[in-house]
Amino acid sequence: MSIEKKPRKSGKIIVVSAPSGCGKSTIINSILDSGQPELRFSVSATNRRPRPGEVDGVHYHFLTTEEFRDAIAENKFVEWEEVYPGRFYGTLKSEIDRIIDKGGNVILDIDVKGGLNVKRLYGDRVKTIFFLPPSISELRHRLESRGTDAPEIIDERVNKAELEISFADSFDERIINDDLEKAISLTRRTIEDFINK
Ligand code: 5GP
């Protein structure tokens, strides 16, 4: 992991993290679609392959492993992590700068370690939000009902979720997604209050 020196520009940064299956993408997309003023999604870089429907430059900047390593060497990341073995994800300085230079605020959907590093780096300009499932058994149930993952993958995701949840207390806000609409409106209010502070 590498972190860079604190930038001087204005603009707020919202970091959102959650275990897989907590509805994080649905909540973020709903807030972005509702036209939250001046809130823009930071498109991360990754060396994983695009999933069906994912567009380069929209969902991620899809890089080869070599390109990702070059970007690390060229100091292009604010932070990066090997979130899964061999799978790298990183926040590009150019993304944050692009949004903040235009007077915007940034929302980052990144893993817990990356999120806490961004907080360490940018301090009070960052609000970290962690989404929690109502319980581990409910999370398992949601992952099973998606029907997309094999049982051993579900076990892996649940184990990872337990590890990620152990970081929840280090986040500024914890929002339990037991009712999607409530979670969306609470998240929106939290972001608006922080941006308008
Ligand atoms: P997925 O492959 O399902 O899109 O993402 C896997 C994980 O990588 C998610 O927890 C996501 O939040 C995290 N992630 C995405 N982009 C970044 C990033 O730029 N930095 C870090 N540290 N994690 C990221």
Side-chain angles (χ1 to χ4, degrees):
M1 150 77 234
S2 81
I3 48 178
E4 261 298 308
K5 69 176 189 308
K6 186 174 173 163
R8 12 158 215 26
K9 303 180 191 96
S10 61
K12 301 264 177 73
I13 300 172
I14 315 293
V15 167
V16 177
S17 295
S20 160
C22 286
K24 177 179 57 171
S25 309
T26 311
I27 296 172
I28 293 177
N29 288 335
S30 158
I31 288 169
L32 288 170
D33 289 349
S34 72
Q36 161 70 44
E38 309 304 342
L39 187 62
R40 300 279 175 272
F41 184 70
S42 161
V43 181
S44 293
T46 182
N47 71 335
R48 84 151 163 75
R49 295 295 90 216
R51 295 185 185 127
E54 285 185 331
V55 178
D56 187 35
V58 175
H59 298 93
Y60 282 105
H61 296 286
F62 292 102
L63 307 182
T64 63
T65 302
E66 200 187 345
E67 286 169 337
F68 199 100
R69 289 192 195 285
D70 287 348
I72 295 172
E74 289 161 18
N75 220 7
K76 289 188 173 166
F77 291 115
V78 171
E79 62 76 38
W80 61 270
E81 294 289 337
E82 186 175 4
V83 177
Y84 300 103
R87 271 158 66 180
F88 297 91
Y89 296 81
T91 306
L92 290 159
K93 286 183 197 170
S94 54
E95 280 290 309
I96 306 256
D97 288 348
R98 178 179 63 81
I99 296 165
I100 287 180
D101 283 350
K102 284 190 194 147
N105 301 291
V106 190
I107 185 160
L108 304 178
D109 167 359
I110 65 180
D111 87 317
V112 287
K113 286 190 193 156
L116 295 175
N117 279 326
V118 169
K119 178 77 182 186
R120 261 193 289 278
L121 183 63
Y122 291 85
D124 288 347
R125 286 173 58 196
V126 180
K127 173 72 90 183
T128 52
I129 303 175
F130 191 89
F131 293 123
L132 289 152
S135 65
I136 288 290
S137 58
E138 173 60 23
L139 179 69
R140 179 179 284 281
H141 174 69
R142 286 183 193 174
L143 292 171
E144 284 168 353
S145 20
R146 272 188 193 175
T148 49
D149 296 315
E152 58 276 15
I153 303 283
I154 291 181
D155 285 346
E156 218 176 86
R157 286 184 189 266
V158 170
N159 288 340
K160 189 164 166 63
E162 286 178 312
L163 178 71
E164 288 166 323
I165 288 169
S166 70
F167 288 89
D169 283 348
S170 306
F171 279 68
D172 298 324
E173 309 285 341
R174 287 158 292 284
I175 294 177
I176 300 173
N177 182 11
D178 51 358
D179 174 321
L180 184 61
E181 287 313 313
K182 274 194 201 149
I184 291 171
S185 73
L186 184 54
T187 307
R188 182 180 293 119
R189 220 170 39 241
T190 303
I191 293 174
E192 280 170 358
D193 287 352
F194 181 61
I195 286 177
N196 297 326
K197 200 165 68 173

